[in-house]
Amino acid sequence: MRTLYVVTHPEATHHVEGVVGGWHDSRLTPVGVRAAASIAQALRAQIPDDAEVELFSSDLQRTRQTAETVAALFDVKPALDRRLREKSYGEAGGQPQEWLDRRFIPPPAVGERMDHDEGVKGAETKAQLVQRI
């Protein structure tokens, strides 16, 4: 049996700058770097020393930085894969959050939500994200 740990990147520059993340290639902030180290230590405490560890990450800077911090404690090299990127917000990526908020069409409260077009050119639907990953 395998155990899978899913880790998201901690605080990145797009968070503090108030811009849309998605495929916008931001870096970890100093707070994010410290949080990545804490995440790595928590994983090291959970995973037995003799466990076979594989580490997969998106290729974006913030996730790569997080993965490299974890990888260092396990003496492994992360496998970077662009298919593991978070949801693409298309042309909204890197724009101020208010830019997206003005254009965003929320999904219906009931019914089909996975194929919902959120109203942003080039953005993925949730179904497209799931299919890619």
Side-chain angles (χ1 to χ4, degrees):
M1 180 171 79
R2 295 184 137 216
T3 301
L4 175 68
Y5 294 88
V6 178
V7 175
T8 62
H9 67 82
E11 184 181 82
T13 55
H14 73 275
H15 295 134
V16 297
E17 293 169 354
V19 299
V20 178
W23 289 16
H24 174 66
D25 204 10
S26 61
R27 298 187 54 76
L28 294 180
T29 65
V31 168
V33 169
R34 288 190 300 277
S38 293
I39 291 165
Q41 290 292 338
L43 287 169
R44 181 68 273 178
Q46 286 287 314
I47 299 172
D49 290 338
D50 62 346
E52 181 181 328
V53 174
E54 295 178 287
L55 180 58
F56 300 90
S57 173
S58 146
D59 62 337
L60 294 174
Q61 291 182 78
R62 59 191 178 266
T63 55
R64 189 172 61 237
Q65 286 177 277
T66 305
E68 288 170 351
T69 302
V70 173
L73 287 184
F74 290 93
D75 196 28
V76 297
K77 182 176 178 174
L80 303 179
D81 190 333
R82 69 179 286 115
R83 295 173 299 175
L84 297 177
R85 288 181 176 187
E86 57 196 84
K87 183 182 177 303
S88 172
Y89 286 94
E91 66 181 10
Q95 296 287 341
Q97 183 64 47
E98 299 81 36
W99 187 96
L100 175 59
D101 293 344
R102 287 192 309 271
R103 292 161 176 81
F104 185 79
I105 302 169
V110 295
E112 176 53 48
R113 298 170 57 92
M114 294 297 286
D115 283 315
H116 173 72
D117 180 347
E118 297 171 343
V120 178
K121 185 177 178 181
E124 289 180 302
T125 65
K126 288 183 173 87
Q128 290 168 325
L129 167 66
V130 169
Q131 180 96 18
R132 175 171 47 84
I133 293 177

